[in-house]
PDB file of all heavy atoms in Angstrom:
ATOM      1  N   ALA A 165      39.313  11.016 -36.007  1.00 92.00           N
ATOM      2  CA  ALA A 165      39.288  12.342 -36.436  1.00 92.00           C
ATOM      3  C   ALA A 165      38.844  13.225 -35.256  1.00 92.00           C
ATOM      4  O   ALA A 165      38.864  14.518 -35.372  1.00 92.00           O
ATOM      5  CB  ALA A 165      38.185  12.506 -37.482  1.00 92.00           C
ATOM      6  N   GLY A 166      38.404  12.691 -34.203  1.00 95.00           N
ATOM      7  CA  GLY A 166      37.862  13.531 -33.025  1.00 95.00           C
ATOM      8  C   GLY A 166      38.641  13.172 -31.717  1.00 95.00           C
ATOM      9  O   GLY A 166      39.654  12.438 -31.722  1.00 95.00           O
ATOM     10  N   VAL A 167      38.246  13.834 -30.679  1.00 96.00           N
ATOM     11  CA  VAL A 167      38.837  13.440 -29.348  1.00 96.00           C
ATOM     12  C   VAL A 167      38.124  12.188 -28.965  1.00 96.00           C
ATOM     13  O   VAL A 167      36.896  12.269 -28.638  1.00 96.00           O
ATOM     14  CB  VAL A 167      38.563  14.606 -28.398  1.00 96.00           C
ATOM     15  CG1 VAL A 167      39.093  14.207 -26.969  1.00 96.00           C
ATOM     16  CG2 VAL A 167      39.175  15.953 -28.871  1.00 96.00           C
ATOM     17  N   ALA A 168      38.878  11.120 -28.750  1.00 96.00           N
ATOM     18  CA  ALA A 168      38.252   9.857 -28.479  1.00 96.00           C
ATOM     19  C   ALA A 168      39.376   9.039 -27.846  1.00 96.00           C
ATOM     20  O   ALA A 168      40.064   8.298 -28.488  1.00 96.00           O
ATOM     21  CB  ALA A 168      37.788   9.197 -29.739  1.00 96.00           C
ATOM     22  N   PHE A 169      39.359   9.062 -26.521  1.00 97.00           N
ATOM     23  CA  PHE A 169      40.086   8.151 -25.659  1.00 97.00           C
ATOM     24  C   PHE A 169      39.459   6.874 -25.658  1.00 97.00           C
ATOM     25  O   PHE A 169      40.087   5.707 -25.623  1.00 97.00           O
ATOM     26  CB  PHE A 169      40.401   8.650 -24.285  1.00 97.00           C
ATOM     27  CG  PHE A 169      41.360   9.827 -24.246  1.00 97.00           C
ATOM     28  CD1 PHE A 169      40.829  11.073 -24.112  1.00 97.00           C
ATOM     29  CD2 PHE A 169      42.697   9.629 -24.215  1.00 97.00           C
ATOM     30  CE1 PHE A 169      41.564  12.197 -24.019  1.00 97.00           C
ATOM     31  CE2 PHE A 169      43.504  10.795 -24.149  1.00 97.00           C
ATOM     32  CZ  PHE A 169      43.053  11.975 -24.049  1.00 97.00           C
ATOM     33  N   ALA A 170      38.148   6.774 -25.653  1.00 95.00           N
ATOM     34  CA  ALA A 170      37.195   5.686 -25.834  1.00 95.00           C
ATOM     35  C   ALA A 170      37.563   4.636 -24.678  1.00 95.00           C
ATOM     36  O   ALA A 170      37.532   3.441 -24.999  1.00 95.00           O
ATOM     37  CB  ALA A 170      37.326   5.048 -27.112  1.00 95.00           C
ATOM     38  N   ALA A 171      37.645   5.125 -23.576  1.00 96.00           N
ATOM     39  CA  ALA A 171      38.038   4.176 -22.377  1.00 96.00           C
ATOM     40  C   ALA A 171      37.424   4.690 -21.037  1.00 96.00           C
ATOM     41  O   ALA A 171      38.042   4.509 -20.016  1.00 96.00           O
ATOM     42  CB  ALA A 171      39.603   4.023 -22.330  1.00 96.00           C
ATOM     43  N   THR A 172      36.229   5.149 -21.133  1.00 97.00           N
ATOM     44  CA  THR A 172      35.695   5.678 -19.930  1.00 97.00           C
ATOM     45  C   THR A 172      35.578   4.611 -18.842  1.00 97.00           C
ATOM     46  O   THR A 172      35.002   3.582 -18.946  1.00 97.00           O
ATOM     47  CB  THR A 172      34.205   6.225 -20.158  1.00 97.00           C
ATOM     48  OG1 THR A 172      34.305   7.220 -21.152  1.00 97.00           O
ATOM     49  CG2 THR A 172      33.640   6.927 -18.913  1.00 97.00           C
ATOM     50  N   SER A 173      35.951   5.004 -17.703  1.00 98.00           N
ATOM     51  CA  SER A 173      35.978   4.175 -16.418  1.00 98.00           C
ATOM     52  C   SER A 173      34.602   4.242 -15.728  1.00 98.00           C
ATOM     53  O   SER A 173      34.110   5.392 -15.571  1.00 98.00           O
ATOM     54  CB  SER A 173      37.240   4.413 -15.425  1.00 98.00           C
ATOM     55  OG  SER A 173      36.918   4.103 -14.149  1.00 98.00           O
ATOM     56  N   ARG A 174      34.167   3.140 -15.185  1.00 97.00           N
ATOM     57  CA  ARG A 174      32.944   3.209 -14.457  1.00 97.00           C
ATOM     58  C   ARG A 174      33.115   3.926 -13.153  1.00 97.00           C
ATOM     59  O   ARG A 174      32.158   4.323 -12.456  1.00 97.00           O
ATOM     60  CB  ARG A 174      32.566   1.769 -14.148  1.00 97.00           C
ATOM     61  CG  ARG A 174      32.097   1.010 -15.351  1.00 97.00           C
ATOM     62  CD  ARG A 174      32.225  -0.573 -15.149  1.00 97.00           C
ATOM     63  NE  ARG A 174      33.524  -0.885 -14.948  1.00 97.00           N
ATOM     64  CZ  ARG A 174      33.985  -2.216 -14.777  1.00 97.00           C
ATOM     65  NH1 ARG A 174      33.036  -3.145 -14.569  1.00 97.00           N
ATOM     66  NH2 ARG A 174      35.240  -2.408 -14.551  1.00 97.00           N
ATOM     67  N   ALA A 175      34.372   4.191 -12.718  1.00 98.00           N
ATOM     68  CA  ALA A 175      34.551   4.994 -11.515  1.00 98.00           C
ATOM     69  C   ALA A 175      34.902   6.374 -11.756  1.00 98.00           C
ATOM     70  O   ALA A 175      34.310   7.409 -11.165  1.00 98.00           O
ATOM     71  CB  ALA A 175      35.648   4.322 -10.715  1.00 98.00           C
ATOM     72  N   LEU A 176      35.775   6.731 -12.754  1.00 98.00           N
ATOM     73  CA  LEU A 176      36.227   7.934 -13.007  1.00 98.00           C
ATOM     74  C   LEU A 176      35.182   8.800 -13.862  1.00 98.00           C
ATOM     75  O   LEU A 176      35.278  10.045 -13.950  1.00 98.00           O
ATOM     76  CB  LEU A 176      37.562   8.021 -13.826  1.00 98.00           C
ATOM     77  CG  LEU A 176      38.767   7.630 -12.920  1.00 98.00           C
ATOM     78  CD1 LEU A 176      40.107   7.511 -13.684  1.00 98.00           C
ATOM     79  CD2 LEU A 176      38.935   8.587 -11.668  1.00 98.00           C
ATOM     80  N   VAL A 177      34.247   8.186 -14.367  1.00 98.00           N
ATOM     81  CA  VAL A 177      33.181   8.954 -15.035  1.00 98.00           C
ATOM     82  C   VAL A 177      32.371   9.804 -14.105  1.00 98.00           C
ATOM     83  O   VAL A 177      31.887  10.840 -14.503  1.00 98.00           O
ATOM     84  CB  VAL A 177      32.036   7.899 -15.667  1.00 98.00           C
ATOM     85  CG1 VAL A 177      31.289   7.189 -14.530  1.00 98.00           C
ATOM     86  CG2 VAL A 177      31.231   8.681 -16.620  1.00 98.00           C
ATOM     87  N   HIS A 178      32.657   9.668 -12.752  1.00 98.00           N
ATOM     88  CA  HIS A 178      32.027  10.495 -11.702  1.00 98.00           C
ATOM     89  C   HIS A 178      33.080  11.563 -11.310  1.00 98.00           C
ATOM     90  O   HIS A 178      32.612  12.383 -10.247  1.00 98.00           O
ATOM     91  CB  HIS A 178      31.649   9.712 -10.590  1.00 98.00           C
ATOM     92  CG  HIS A 178      30.617   8.592 -10.796  1.00 98.00           C
ATOM     93  ND1 HIS A 178      29.287   8.852 -11.296  1.00 98.00           N
ATOM     94  CD2 HIS A 178      30.844   7.213 -10.859  1.00 98.00           C
ATOM     95  CE1 HIS A 178      28.796   7.584 -11.491  1.00 98.00           C
ATOM     96  NE2 HIS A 178      29.589   6.778 -11.165  1.00 98.00           N
TER      97      HIS A 178
END
Side-chain angles (χ1 to χ4, degrees):
V167 177
F169 291 97
T172 303
S173 158
R174 294 156 293 174
L176 289 178
V177 70
H178 301 297

